[in-house]
Amino acid sequence: MSNLNPRQEEAKCHVDGALLVLAGAGSGKTSVITQKIAHLIQNCHIPAERITAMTFTNKAAREMKERVKKLLPSEETRGLTVSTFHQFGLQFLRYELMHTPLKGNFSIMDSDDSKRLIAELMVRDNLSGAERGDMLGKALNMISDWKNDLIAPEDAQKSLDDPEDVIFAHLYELYERHLRAYNAVDFDDLIVLPARILKENPIVRQKWQNRIRYLLVDEYQDTNTAQYELIKLLVGTSARFTVVGDDDQSIYAWRGAKPENMALLKQDFPDLTVIKLEQNYRSTNRILSSANAVIANNEHLFDKVLWSDKGHGEKVRVLTCFDDTAEAERVAKEIVTHRMRHGGTWEQYAVLYRSNFQARPLEAQLRSLQVPYKLSGGTSFFARTEIKDVMGYLRIILNPDDDSAFLRVINTPKRGMGSATLEKLGLFAQELGSSLLVACLHTGLRAAVGAKASHTLQDFAHFIEHYTRELYDNPDPMPLVRQMIVETGYIDYIKADSKTPQQEKNRLDNIESLYQSIARLIERAEDDDERTIDAVIRKLVLLDMLEQQQEEENTNKVNLMTLHAAKGLEFDYVYVIGVEEDILPHKNSIVADTVEEERRLMYVGITRARHELTLMMAQKRRVGRDYKPTTPSRFLDELPDEHIDYPAKRKTTHADPKQIAHEYLANIQAMLAQKRGG
């Protein structure tokens, strides 16, 4: 095992009672967690199958499990659970199905499915404001917040004064009723249902507390109320757990994360031990001093100060540009110049920003200089139309009650089913109390929808029924999955629908990637239950395929990403652009008085840098066709003068952007000439 510093060693060896490891940015928390798991198995003699570790992303879970496997012989890690919260919740629901309102073939609705269902319910019930686009977003957020705060529909309707909230509470009740009717859960349910079962059923609670002898939780500051309750119910009074987190990096309040869960730990577990990891293994001390100075302006339950043994390093630069175009041009040319001067690779550079729109001028400048770049946080794999379509077919096979999947695929490719026909089918299914697919097989279908439509719908239902039997009975389902998608006519539909040969290739390649992922999941399954087609489809809904793709592709490119997407990553040279009021901090946070979270976002940005950090702002920024003058971010005033190089503070005149561009071009030409001469 690699060497740990004294604080890390203390965290590793503390196994009796509740432990909070306050892990500053770059303090080696993953090493602590993985070595602690190895310590629990080898030295504390806790079997791997009695240890559970939870985190928030598939990538983090994969990395953690791989690192544990490098520390121990494979037979000692067999049965170890390292998963995301949602994967754990899915497994829990499979084991405790009898205590849920679900049948075994339940579906998981993604955010797109939930959005479509709520939109339909708003229109169907003639709810006030259904025609307003913002109402749908508000309804989704409110329902998710209620769920994550473990508030049931009937409780949400109590003591509401705002007419809009009353509408949302009514929608919440309808939404939950439809989920159960569809034999489906949404992502929130994967945490909420296990938490409710554990809370309400003492026998199940006792069973799981006995089953999990030690629990570890990473990124604890990102937990919401439901996740905190789940943790508390799993550990019980024995409190044999370690949570690792950093309240200064809690940047997901908009997703329900509650950094105050750290304070709750002290209340619920009075004997809680707190160990601070303050030695940073990533950055120079000037970068860390800047991060410490900024975050010191937030209120803290636990104080900590990051330090490193990597020396002072370069001063943090603060650059002011004429406008956002000049800002993008300066960044692009600096990266080219810096790389030519110092050697190295493109992937050592990252440009971070608060909002996605800031990347557009930057992309144009990098393309003009032929600099390869990677834009993170784009469309996720599962958000692609062709993947959602193929998954729709797989979901309806898994769960005949999945009306959302039925509606997605019945006309993809076109089968001549108009909205009027589907409305008649929906009313007929309601009369029967059945799903749309089951209604397609009923003897009364012809009277409900007409002869021609009933023939098409029955053919479709028989087709699905046939492949359901075949896939469940076949130990090697992959060839059947391919055959089924071809027989639907979907591949021909893609070829006819694609506007260019390249688009057709991309879409077919994406479907092939999905097939490969299904095959890999079947191969990697640790037991027979995990190899079934339904287990694999459920896992796929939860997987973030984008992460896998990014790891596999050529990564020698400049990294462009939001500050949120950058969390957990590190780069040698970091540029943070748009450090201005109304951008960072964002104007919404200023209005809502949530600037503390924006300051944590700034802290995350600063602590991504290993060697050099540059903070940039524009004097004016384009808004539509006009330019709007900007104000430097308040966070720049919080930086320590002795560690920053901020020319605009020393002089009020600003260089002409054309002059800056000319000087940089001259530098590049001089270096090229020097290189040729050498």
Side-chain angles (χ1 to χ4, degrees), residues 38 41-42 46-49 71-80:
I41 294 169
Q42 283 202 320
I46 299 176
E49 64 267 20
L71 295 173
L72 295 173
S74 58
E75 63 272 12
E76 291 189 19
T77 62
R78 196 168 292 123
L80 174 68

Side-chain angles (χ1 to χ4, degrees), residues 101-122:
L102 301 165
K103 298 196 283 281
N105 55 348
F106 65 88
S107 300
I108 303 168
M109 292 180 70
D110 65 16
S111 55
D112 206 43
D113 297 326
S114 297
K115 191 174 181 179
R116 195 183 302 118
L117 174 56
I118 289 174
E120 285 170 10
L121 293 174
M122 289 175 82

Side-chain angles (χ1 to χ4, degrees), residues 558-572:
V558 173
N559 298 276
L560 310 185
M561 63 183 71
T562 64
L563 289 158
H564 283 100
K567 184 167 168 285
L569 304 176
E570 55 186 70
F571 308 94
D572 289 340

Side-chain angles (χ1 to χ4, degrees), residues 356-390:
N356 280 308
F357 77 87
Q358 293 171 260
R360 289 172 202 146
L362 198 57
E363 285 189 84
Q365 293 295 332
L366 291 170
R367 278 198 300 267
S368 72
L369 293 173
Q370 296 184 313
V371 174
Y373 66 88
K374 180 172 68 176
L375 194 65
S376 299
T379 305
S380 80
F381 187 83
F382 272 100
R384 297 172 197 270
T385 303
E386 60 274 11
I387 299 305
K388 292 180 86 69
D389 290 342
V390 173

